[in-house]
Amino acid sequence: MKDILLITPPFTQLNTPYPATAYLKGFLNTKGISAFQMDLGIEVILELFSKQGLTSIFKHITAFSQQKNLQRIYSLRQEYINTIDAVVEFLQGKNPTLARQICSGNFLPEASRFEQLDDMEWAFGSMGMHDKAKHLATLYLEDLSDYIKECVDENFGFSRYAERLGRSANSFDEMHDYLQRDLTYVDNISLQVLDDTLKRVQPKLVLISVPFPGNLYSAFRCAQFIKANYPDIKVSMGGGFPNTELRDLKDPRVFEFFDYITLDDGELPVELLHAAVCKNEAEFKRTFLQENGNVVYKNNTIRTDYKQSQVGTPDYSDLLLEKYISVIEIANPMHSLWSDGRWNKLTMAHGCYWGKCTFCDISLDYIKVYEPIAAKTLVNRMEEIIAQTGETGFHFVDEAAPPALMREVALEILRRELTVSWWTNIRFEKNFTADLCQLFKASGCIAVSGGLEVASDRLLDLIQKGVTVGQVAQVTRNFTEAGIMVHAYLMYGYPTQTVQETVDSLEMVRQMFELGILQSGFWHQFAMTAHSPVGMFPEEFGVIPEVSNITFANNDIQFKDKTGIDHDKFSFGLKKSLFNYMHGICFDYELQDWFDFKIPHTKIQPDYIVSCLEKENNFDVKPSAKIIWIGGKPISENYIKSKKGNSWEMTKLTFHDKRETFEISLEKEKAAWLEKSLDKLQVFNEKAVTFSQLKADFEDHFDDFELFWYSKPVMTLRQFGLLIF
């Protein structure tokens, strides 16, 4: 028996749990409040995609299609039933030898998803047979997903369920009507799994975390089931969806299903809900509830939210970590990170340190309240999670991880000699120097993602992004040269954006992919949200919003752009071109080739990005800049150098790094000084040495530090781990 049951409803990710319940359980641990958590999505997926599950699916046909593809899948049903358990186990990492059989081409039944295959050997040359097998197994699952959606349950999707019911639902009418219908096929499975858990856990309070519109319907179905069958259990909703969409909630029918809906950071609201349910107290923090038939908003506590240092370490216990399914949708190593691998999720800083982008919800606490977490605390949490899960991969799910904190986390990882892999979301700002990127790589950073958005300096300025296209190119080059993959979020249809700017943005993106400084990207059409500057002050951005009566969800706002441009028509061409660029092909195609309507020629010079990347030797170093050596100790060898009858003692220093060996030669005294200095500069020494301190120490023994610092031997060391920040 537990006080609280935490639920993530279907569906989010196949490969790793959505972290909200783990964050909350970690906090509840610090308060001695007993809780159990479940990812209902992965449990339902495992029920569906099993021998028993597919046998049931192929018997349960609500509408048999005349489509040849679906007929083919049905005809091959026994092949799917026979192979599904082995394939799922392979994708769970339990049966790696199956990769050879999958790649043989005569093991998996194939339907329409396999038609997109071209040259598999070329596509997976950089990823290997195991990933090729994962990709084929993913296509196999997608074929089955198509069948389920067409013939069994129209709402099904691997990462969302009945999403359309949750998208911009200004009124609760459609959702309410849908909830009066008979249970869907997936509903029946979900509620059976839920029922089994409720009987086992016997909670007093159920917290349902709803991160996205594609979780909303299932959340209501779960709440409806609990109200009908366990009327003594109280039910609350929290998470990303209510935080952004339900701030103007007025419809009392919502409380036929939920007793409470909380907003923003969940720790204190949940603690107070527990006190209300279990101790009959009456304090609330940012909580909607119903009183006398009316929706009321209660924020009647004087207590303030917990600091990030006080919320505890995310706790992933109870979740079926060994049963998540890693899939690879396309042959792109960066793109696959979102679906492949079991990532522990953490946050470096609450909110966004920039907090100015005009398309972003900067008026809401999850963005505007910026609070970084100390590097030592973060790495402590990493070590605790590794001990609990056995997994050393981390995805920092920040809005934008701050460069200075990333640096301190990287240094702390290196000092503790941890072997981890990590990636995060960033702003492409100038502080990400080549040296800093090398440090990240040494600490285990494998990838970053960030917003290039519209790839137009005029529009980037209007967005208040604080970067230029040229600056983004330099930063992505720095990451790529350090061996860190880069994903760019791309946007089209921003207010006042012209057709010419859309074409020019595509050309910028084409050049960046061709030069290899971007590895992955995703185009999305601008959406105006109620809590962004564009949504709050539309007249300043040349848009005309459609006014709706809001009684339920309020986030995405329909609008008309005063330019009158139909941005929708660019969607297919932008995404098709990007798909090819991510595979490293079609850079020589004319931009016109991606569109079935006339577009203007780009005004961007074909070498524009190259010109942005031309390196300038910057000899200005701040006296306060820190210097760190991440390499090893050299082997020294003294020798005599003679020239024109003169001779002097020299020392050859030989360094071995993980990939190669290199040598430098210096006068004996300077070599001895350098060896001692490199020891002081080691990353393990927490007291950092500044440029001015190093210079003063050098000039206590020799003359002209600058001449030494910019000499060939030191420049060689700079390439191999002598870093300056």
Side-chain angles (χ1 to χ4, degrees), residues 413-668:
I413 289 170
L414 290 169
R415 287 178 187 130
R416 300 193 194 188
E417 299 182 304
L418 291 181
T419 300
V420 295
S421 301
W422 61 274
W423 56 297
T424 190
N425 193 53
I426 63 165
R427 285 180 65 245
F428 292 123
E429 63 157 87
K430 62 183 179 182
N431 288 328
F432 289 113
T433 62
D435 281 15
L436 193 54
C437 293
Q438 282 191 55
L439 177 70
F440 295 157
K441 180 64 176 177
S443 71
C445 181
I446 57 172
V448 294
S449 57
L452 171 55
E453 317 305 355
V454 290
S456 157
D457 284 346
R458 182 188 76 83
L459 292 170
L460 285 170
D461 185 56
L462 190 61
I463 288 172
Q464 295 185 35
K465 192 72 181 177
V467 299
T468 64
V469 175
Q471 182 179 311
V472 172
Q474 291 165 2
V475 170
T476 57
R477 184 266 316 280
N478 291 343
F479 277 106
T480 301
E481 288 187 348
I484 297 171
M485 297 183 292
V486 183
H487 173 91
Y489 297 107
L490 305 165
M491 182 191 296
Y492 64 101
Y494 189 81
T496 74
Q497 184 169 359
T498 65
V499 171
Q500 185 68 58
E501 285 172 323
T502 300
V503 172
D504 290 348
S505 292
L506 176 56
E507 172 61 14
M508 297 276 206
V509 170
R510 184 198 69 79
Q511 290 185 27
M512 294 176 79
F513 272 96
E514 186 174 26
L515 290 169
I517 58 175
L518 282 181
Q519 287 72 52
S520 175
F522 183 78
W523 285 105
H524 66 276
Q525 189 166 354
F526 168 77
M528 187 166 78
T529 62
H531 313 293
S532 68
V534 180
M536 293 187 293
F537 312 106
E539 65 283 352
E540 295 181 15
F541 296 89
V543 295
I544 304 170
E546 294 182 11
V547 179
S548 302
N549 182 33
I550 307 296
T551 57
F552 185 53
N554 181 28
N555 191 38
D556 287 4
I557 301 173
Q558 298 300 313
F559 68 94
K560 292 181 180 178
D561 189 331
K562 289 182 180 179
T563 64
I565 296 169
D566 177 14
H567 295 289
D568 291 351
K569 67 181 182 179
F570 288 93
S571 177
F572 181 78
L574 290 172
K575 292 175 181 178
K576 184 177 180 181
S577 60
L578 185 63
F579 180 84
N580 285 277
Y581 297 160
M582 284 198 297
H583 286 82
I585 57 176
C586 300
F587 297 120
D588 56 342
Y589 280 35
E590 295 291 334
L591 299 187
Q592 178 64 67
D593 295 342
W594 303 114
F595 302 94
D596 59 5
F597 54 91
K598 185 68 175 175
I599 62 169
H601 291 291
T602 181
K603 293 184 177 180
I604 304 301
Q605 294 297 315
D607 62 347
Y608 178 79
I609 298 297
V610 170
S611 67
C612 293
L613 297 179
E614 290 178 350
K615 292 185 177 180
E616 296 180 4
N617 290 320
N618 185 1
F619 293 104
D620 294 327
V621 179
K622 292 181 180 178
S624 59
K626 296 180 176 114
I627 303 175
I628 291 172
W629 170 242
I630 60 172
K633 291 189 176 183
I635 299 169
S636 60
E637 179 184 346
N638 296 326
Y639 66 96
I640 303 296
K641 183 175 181 180
S642 300
K643 188 175 182 181
K644 294 183 179 180
N646 296 316
S647 62
W648 57 95
E649 291 184 291
M650 298 286 290
T651 299
K652 180 172 73 174
L653 300 177
T654 303
F655 295 82
H656 297 274
D657 74 1
K658 293 176 183 177
R659 301 182 65 181
E660 59 185 294
T661 300
F662 64 95
E663 300 172 348
I664 63 172
S665 291
L666 289 166
E667 295 163 342
K668 183 179 178 181

Side-chain angles (χ1 to χ4, degrees), residues 377-389:
T377 300
L378 278 168
V379 183
N380 287 343
R381 291 176 181 176
M382 292 174 74
E383 291 187 313
E384 289 178 49
I385 292 173
I386 291 169
Q388 182 188 74
T389 67

